[in-house]
Every structure is written in structure tokens, then in C-alpha cells.
């Protein structure tokens, strides 16, 4: 993992990812929204769609290993997530993310993230275990932004969480299944 920790342009993070069929549905919705809002931004590829849980950027190799140990020890049941709105987040000028958000359909995800954050803290990776969290799936980035808008809910069952190394694509460095 050391080679990933030192790469300044790479991102390393823990995430929940949709299954392939759901990722395709999200991508199709993003395409429709892009046309409807006359966005110019490039769509996020289906295989890169995810919900970021914790950033592990810049952690030394020892702490990355501790984060993986915390993830391995975590016991949780699979749970459903549901997104029912889209909105543009602020972001950098000219680079505003259009995202899926929800509320009631994300309570179990929020509880899971709290459990994972507590496990990271117990393993000495407190810096990564930030409490700020707005669950979302980024669809694209654009110069323009739009207000919140309801959509037909998109949902899936989270059956695992993953450690992603993101540079020009997403490499899954580790996977942890959720078990009943």
C-alpha cells in the first residue's frame, strides 16, 4: 500500500458501491439529467459510481494497514440505501458536482458509517474518522448548477464495502462483505 500513500494525485478511500445493474440505471438517469439540464460535464462511468465513506488520503502505510484491520473486524448486516433527489453541490467554481441524495433511505448507511468510524478510531486512525458526512453519489461535474429535484427512488442493497485507489480509474484494493 505504500506506493499508493505517496502518490499525490491518487485518492484512497473506503466506499460502498452499487451492483452493476444499479450502476447502469444510475448512469442512464445521469444521462437523462445531463440532457435535461443542458450540462456539458462528463458523466461518471458506471464502474466509478460510489458512496464515499472515509478518505484515507495521505495516511502512512501503518495507518492504512490499521484501517484495513478495522474494516476486517467490522461485523454488519447488508442494508438497503435509497436516493430520491438530485442536487448540485457547491464545489469549486466551474466544477460543481451533480449528485444523488436522500434522507430516510440512508439512515442505515449513516449508522454503518458511524460503526466503521468507531472501528477506525479504535485502531488509531482517528484523523480519517471524520463525522462530517452527506451521503451521495456523484453523477457528473459541471460549471452550472441546479436546485434540488425529486426523482423516482434509486435503491440497492449494500452487501460489501471496498477500499478504492482512484487515479485514472478505480482499483479495488480490498473488499469486505457484509454478513448477517
Amino acid at each position: 500500500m505504500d506506493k499508493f500513500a505517496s502518490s499525490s494525485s491518487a485518492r484512497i478511500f473506503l466506499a460502498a458501491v452499487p451492483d452493476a445493474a444499479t450502476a447502469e440505471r444510475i448512469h442512464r438517469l445521469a444521462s437523462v439529467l445531463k440532457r435535461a439540464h443542458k450540462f456539458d460535464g462528463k458523466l461518471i462511468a458506471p464502474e466509478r459510481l460510489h458512496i464515499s465513506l472515509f478518505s484515507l488520503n495521505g495516511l502512512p502505510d501503518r495507518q492504512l494497514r490499521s484501517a484495513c484491520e478495522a474494516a476486517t473486524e467490522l461485523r454488519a448486516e447488508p442494508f438497503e440505501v435509497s436516493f430520491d433527489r438530485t442536487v448540485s453541490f457547491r464545489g469549486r467554481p466551474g466544477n460543481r458536482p451533480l449528485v444523488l441524495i436522500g434522507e430516510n433511505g440512508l439512515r442505515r448507511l449513516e449508522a454503518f458509517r458511524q460503526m466503521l468510524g468507531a472501528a477506525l478510531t479504535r485502531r488509531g486512525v482517528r484523523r480519517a474518522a471524520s463525522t462530517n458526512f452527506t451521503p451521495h453519489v456523484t453523477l457528473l461535474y459541471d460549471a452550472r448548477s441546479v436546485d434540488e429535484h425529486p426523482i423516482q427512488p434509486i435503491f440497492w442493497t449494500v452487501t460489501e464495502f471496498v477500499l478504492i485507489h482512484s487515479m485514472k480509474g478505480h482499483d479495488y484494493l480490498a473488499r469486505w462483505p457484509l454478513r448477517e
Side-chain angles (χ1 to χ4, degrees):
M1 281 188 242
D2 201 28
K3 66 179 178 174
F4 301 119
S6 62
S7 178
S8 61
S9 62
R11 292 179 35 229
I12 299 175
F13 56 96
L14 294 167
V17 294
D19 58 87
T22 303
E24 284 298 331
R25 279 198 326 270
I26 293 170
H27 193 259
R28 283 193 302 273
L29 171 65
S31 181
V32 167
L33 293 170
K34 178 179 176 174
R35 284 191 305 276
H37 295 301
K38 297 179 174 54
F39 284 145
D40 295 322
K42 184 178 175 189
L43 296 175
I44 304 293
E47 63 275 7
R48 292 180 62 121
L49 294 169
H50 65 276
I51 305 167
S52 295
L53 298 171
F54 289 104
S55 171
L56 302 178
N57 289 340
L59 292 181
D61 192 47
R62 173 183 47 78
Q63 284 201 308
L64 284 174
R65 275 194 300 277
S66 293
C68 288
E69 290 166 1
T72 299
E73 294 168 0
L74 190 65
R75 295 288 174 256
E77 294 181 3
F79 56 89
E80 188 172 274
V81 292
S82 177
F83 296 89
D84 60 7
R85 299 185 307 281
T86 60
V87 69
S88 292
F89 282 171
R90 284 204 167 132
R92 295 186 315 263
N95 197 31
R96 301 185 190 282
L98 176 66
V99 300
L100 295 177
I101 58 171
E103 199 163 311
N104 294 337
L106 299 171
R107 300 271 188 251
R108 300 240 352 245
L109 173 71
E110 291 166 342
F112 171 77
R113 185 178 180 277
Q114 284 180 330
M115 287 174 36
L116 182 55
L120 290 169
T121 298
R122 281 192 304 276
R123 283 291 186 161
V125 192
R126 172 170 278 147
R127 191 194 75 155
S130 92
T131 55
N132 291 340
F133 184 54
T134 303
H136 66 279
V137 176
T138 303
L139 306 175
L140 61 82
Y141 293 87
D142 199 83
R144 297 178 48 249
S145 63
V146 292
D147 292 331
E148 190 172 301
H149 187 74
I151 60 165
Q152 186 72 28
I154 291 184
F155 55 90
W156 76 87
T157 300
V158 175
T159 58
E160 68 177 357
F161 63 108
V162 297
L163 177 63
I164 296 176
H165 173 249
S166 176
M167 204 151 145
K168 293 192 178 182
H170 279 183
D171 289 326
Y172 290 31
L173 302 179
R175 295 174 178 265
W176 296 278
L178 301 180
R179 296 183 204 91
E180 299 194 35

